[in-house]
Amino acid sequence: MSRRLPRKDVVIVGFGWTGAIMANELTDEGLEVIAFERGPWRDAPTDFPPGYMQDELRYRIRHELFLRPDQLTFTFRNKMDQTALPIRSWGAFMPPNGVGGGGVHWNAEMWRFLPSDFVLKTHLTERYGGVPAPGYDDPGLGDHL
């Protein structure tokens, strides 16, 4: 059975970071706002307690925080003359599902530094010399070393 809700000044569809920021700004200006989100409510203290180890199988593989193919299937093609086919493995593109959107989980792909990453300045200085003198306006390396 349908139910009529009270009128609001603004309706926001999608309550991720952008929707939440907009809702905050608009309510600060005195407007009445309602936001709709297709996914579940996220409660940080109980859903993501600080002592909880994030479960990659649960979130990344089984898509608990993300859209599942049966919720929304994206299609892709490289050229206009190709047939668009469904994407079953999204790689790093993980469309979010639930309050907080993609901000709840950013795919946590943090690559480990290589030993060479920690000696880059030393390597470049040894190979090419010191940092250019002040006033040297090469937009290349300059003060970034």
Side-chain angles (χ1 to χ4, degrees):
M1 180 174 155
S2 64
R3 161 178 83 159
R4 184 175 294 270
L5 298 173
R7 292 185 63 84
K8 301 293 178 192
D9 299 314
V10 179
V11 175
I12 296 177
V13 179
F15 204 59
W17 284 7
T18 304
I21 290 169
M22 288 303 303
N24 184 67
E25 294 295 316
L26 294 167
T27 55
D28 284 352
E29 294 299 315
L31 296 171
E32 289 191 30
V33 177
I34 187 168
F36 291 99
E37 174 59 54
R38 85 176 133 214
W41 173 258
R42 305 283 185 203
D43 181 59
T46 56
D47 288 338
F48 312 107
Y52 174 71
M53 174 60 84
Q54 296 301 316
D55 186 341
E56 184 177 352
L57 177 64
R58 177 180 173 194
Y59 295 130
R60 174 68 173 92
I61 306 302
R62 294 184 179 152
H63 300 280
E64 187 169 307
L65 294 175
F66 310 103
L67 291 176
R68 294 175 180 93
D70 62 342
Q71 291 173 298
L72 178 66
T73 298
F74 293 95
T75 59
F76 180 81
R77 60 184 168 194
N78 292 303
K79 299 177 186 173
M80 290 299 291
D81 62 346
Q82 291 180 324
T83 301
L85 298 173
I87 299 171
R88 293 291 181 213
S89 177
W90 291 321
F93 174 61
M94 302 295 293
N97 186 37
V99 171
V104 173
H105 190 279
W106 53 277
N107 210 16
E109 291 185 10
M110 290 290 291
W111 302 102
R112 293 181 184 205
F113 288 111
L114 298 172
S116 60
D117 293 328
F118 295 101
V119 294
L120 180 61
K121 181 179 178 186
T122 304
H123 166 72
L124 293 175
T125 302
E126 287 172 358
R127 183 167 182 168
Y128 300 108
V131 176
Y136 183 75
D137 46 348
D138 176 12
L141 299 176
D143 293 330
H144 300 293
L145 288 178

